[in-house]
Amino acid sequence: MTKLQLTPHTQAQALLDFIDVSPSPWHAVKTIETQLATFQFQRLYETDTWQLETGGRYYVVRGDSSIIVFVHGQKAVAETGFKIIGAHTDSPSLRIKPNPTTVTAALERLNVEIYGGAILATFADRELSFAGRVSYQTEHGELNHELVNFSQPLLRLPNLAIHLNRGVNEEGLKFQKQNELSLILANVSEQLPALQFMTLLQSQLPNAAKILAWDLNVFDTQKGSFWGANNEFFANGQIDNLASCHAALRALLDESVLQNDSTLVCALFDHEEVGSESHCGASGSFLTDTLRRISDATSENSQDFSRAMAHSFIISADMAHAFHPNFPNAYDGQHNVHVNQGVVIKVNVNQRYTSDGVSEAMFMQWCEQANVPYQLYSHRNDLPCGSTIGSMVSSKLGVKSVDVGNPMWAMHSCRESAGVFDHSAMIQVMKQFFQN
Ligand code: CO
């Protein structure tokens, strides 16, 4: 059988498509479930007792926005450990508040809350809309939760004209967080009264008799695209960190990888951008509970879970800060990492990143085996370093870990950018990790 070779551009296009149909973490998990269905994965519910078959393909969802996918290997986890890739499904953004509507000067505006460390100014002058999960009562009094997605541009945060904001280029583009972030939704008049927000929600929820609550993410409706003289770059929202989720799943969902003897896991969590402290976040019990249940479902020896942990390894995958040639002083000059020059191993001795000499060397070797170039990143000493889910999951489980990711520009912008070849390289090295 000839094997279809996917080019880097095909893989990057698949990532852009994945992001475009996943405008919120709830949608990202739905999109992943759809992809898993084509590979005969079976959903497990945490409320059920699990019967696992060797070679079985399973996934568990918690909170509708975190998902753990696993292939139950032929060999006992106490002998092989778990091979885990972790990433996050959420991205910094604006979220619609519970009482969002105000009317000023015949304009209906929606009040928003800031989710995580978004670069606020990048939300200005873009064709925004919203998507997420809505909870409502049916006419029979049942409580339902459904996803909504408004793909047409509905919302906008217009800039103030430079004539009214003369210092903008010297002082930077700033929005006062409480008073200046409300998004314009509609003109209102006697014929078109306010509360068009609720009318819109109702239009996608025909079974809703009474809308009660929501988790709604503001997103940019512009689709992902390639750019650069040779289309070597791509741009989209949410590249941090749907790119790592996508790479992990592409590495797993390959028939040759799925036949592995070991138990392979992709653990994709919500709430990383706000600290991961939640029932479905990386700092919660989701991964520990799931791995313990996998171990317990196949072994009665109470030591086997600890033995499995001692054999296990986690790749914590999150995006990295690519060198920006216009701002050379933002970086430690000896640890610049470049777009389209390979995957990045992230090092921070204060354990913001989990890599240590041993786990770095292991990852380097997988890169060499997969013929994938790698680069080393270390943050400037005089700037606080970001963190990932790595330190939380590896400390809770007591499992060795490395922090890696692909170089990107404009992390936490509404419109981020990265390199076509790096995405493909990351998929290759993740496959190598799963197959080793
Ligand atoms: Co991230």
Side-chain angles (χ1 to χ4, degrees):
M1 198 170 75
T2 50
K3 223 175 146 208
L4 189 67
Q5 272 299 322
L6 293 175
T7 67
H9 277 93
T10 320
Q11 288 173 318
Q13 183 63 57
L15 166 61
L16 297 179
D17 295 342
F18 175 75
I19 295 175
D20 288 340
V21 294
S22 307
S24 79
W26 304 277
H27 286 87
V29 167
K30 259 285 167 275
T31 305
I32 293 165
E33 285 192 74
T34 309
Q35 298 192 350
L36 294 174
T38 63
F39 285 85
Q40 289 80 49
F41 275 74
Q42 183 191 333
R43 179 166 177 176
L44 299 172
Y45 290 86
E46 291 191 277
T47 46
D48 292 347
T49 303
W50 296 356
Q51 312 282 352
L52 303 182
E53 284 170 27
T54 50
R57 303 170 180 185
Y58 304 99
Y59 68 94
V60 200
V61 174
R62 193 182 275 190
D64 299 334
S65 54
S66 295
I67 183 167
I68 296 176
V69 183
F70 66 95
V71 184
H72 192 226
Q74 304 286 340
K75 292 189 179 155
V77 289
E79 306 301 331
T80 63
F82 295 93
K83 291 181 182 173
I84 306 164
I85 300 178
H88 64 91
T89 57
D90 61 325
S91 302
S93 181
L94 304 172
R95 295 281 171 87
I96 296 174
K97 285 200 176 189
N99 292 325
T101 305
T102 56
V103 178
T104 311
L107 293 168
E108 177 172 343
R109 289 181 304 158
L110 298 184
N111 190 358
V112 290
E113 187 169 1
I114 301 162
Y115 179 84
I119 306 178
L120 296 174
T122 61
F123 285 78
D125 298 337
R126 302 201 67 93
E127 282 76 29
L128 304 174
S129 192
F130 59 94
R133 183 179 60 180
V134 179
S135 298
Y136 62 84
Q137 266 171 2
T138 65
E139 60 176 334
H140 308 294
E142 285 163 27
L143 202 54
N144 265 4
H145 319 282
E146 239 181 274
L147 300 192
V148 296
N149 179 8
F150 296 88
S151 51
Q152 72 276 33
L154 286 174
L155 298 169
R156 197 167 194 90
L157 177 65
N159 256 302
L160 196 55
I162 195 164
H163 317 80
L164 308 173
N165 187 16
R166 287 286 183 192
V168 60
N169 290 330
E170 288 68 40
E171 286 149 31
L173 184 51
K174 293 178 194 146
F175 287 87
Q176 206 283 332
K177 289 177 184 167
Q178 176 57 28
N179 302 318
E180 297 174 352
L181 281 180
S182 286
L183 305 174
I184 296 174
L185 171 66
N187 251 155
V188 293
S189 62
E190 267 173 44
Q191 293 76 34
L192 277 174
L195 297 179
Q196 294 189 38
F197 169 63
M198 290 304 270
T199 310
L200 282 162
L201 286 187
Q202 201 75 54
S203 72
Q204 284 201 9
L205 301 166
N207 298 323
K210 186 179 181 188
I211 292 169
L212 298 173
W214 50 76
D215 304 286
L216 290 172
N217 188 51
V218 172
F219 71 97
D220 183 3
T221 58
Q222 187 182 354
K223 301 285 183 219
S225 63
F226 292 106
W227 62 278
N230 300 297
N231 281 334
E232 61 267 64
F233 310 115
F234 60 86
N236 209 345
Q238 303 186 99
I239 291 173
D240 172 16
N241 193 20
L242 290 185
S244 303
C245 294
H246 184 259
L249 289 164
R250 290 272 66 84
L252 180 71
L253 300 180
D254 176 299
E255 286 300 339
S256 63
V257 174
L258 289 166
Q259 303 304 327
N260 203 276
D261 282 346
S262 309
T263 295
L264 312 179
V265 183
C266 289
L268 312 175
F269 299 97
D270 195 2
H271 297 147
E272 191 274 342
E273 298 292 356
V274 294
S276 297
E277 291 280 355
S278 73
H279 84 297
C280 60
S283 187
S285 63
F286 189 27
L287 185 57
T288 313
D289 290 349
T290 304
L291 299 185
R292 185 174 285 283
R293 290 182 75 168
I294 297 171
S295 173
D296 291 355
T298 47
S299 163
E300 278 164 17
N301 186 332
S302 61
Q303 292 193 40
D304 277 357
F305 180 70
S306 302
R307 291 181 61 213
M309 290 303 103
H311 279 298
S312 296
F313 193 93
I314 299 168
I315 291 180
S316 162
D318 207 339
M319 300 304 282
H321 302 298
F323 180 71
H324 187 324
N326 299 9
F327 301 94
N329 296 332
Y331 307 88
D332 175 309
Q334 277 160 266
H335 299 89
N336 296 338
V337 296
H338 302 278
V339 170
N340 282 328
Q341 291 190 21
V343 300
V344 177
I345 304 170
K346 303 191 262 183
V347 180
N348 180 271
V349 291
N350 297 301
Q351 299 302 307
R352 307 289 286 173
Y353 303 137
T354 56
S355 318
D356 63 12
V358 172
S359 64
E360 287 161 45
M362 289 169 78
F363 191 82
M364 287 169 182
Q365 197 168 41
W366 297 325
C367 286
E368 281 170 15
Q369 289 162 350
N371 210 8
V372 159
Y374 59 84
Q375 320 178 61
L376 283 161
Y377 183 79
S378 172
H379 212 60
R380 284 183 67 99
N381 288 336
D382 50 8
L383 267 184
C385 182
S387 64
T388 74
I389 60 156
S391 54
M392 279 170 259
V393 290
S394 84
S395 61
K396 269 182 200 300
L397 294 168
V399 169
K400 286 191 287 294
S401 175
V402 68
D403 263 276
V404 304
N406 271 339
M408 71 177 291
W409 288 306
M411 188 180 286
H412 293 193
S413 166
C414 187
R415 189 83 178 167
E416 302 170 326
S417 254
V420 166
F421 299 98
D422 300 325
H423 189 59
S424 166
M426 183 59 85
I427 297 170
Q428 280 311 115
V429 66
M430 285 175 165
K431 266 189 196 170
Q432 185 69 43
F433 164 66
F434 277 149
Q435 283 180 308
N436 254 346

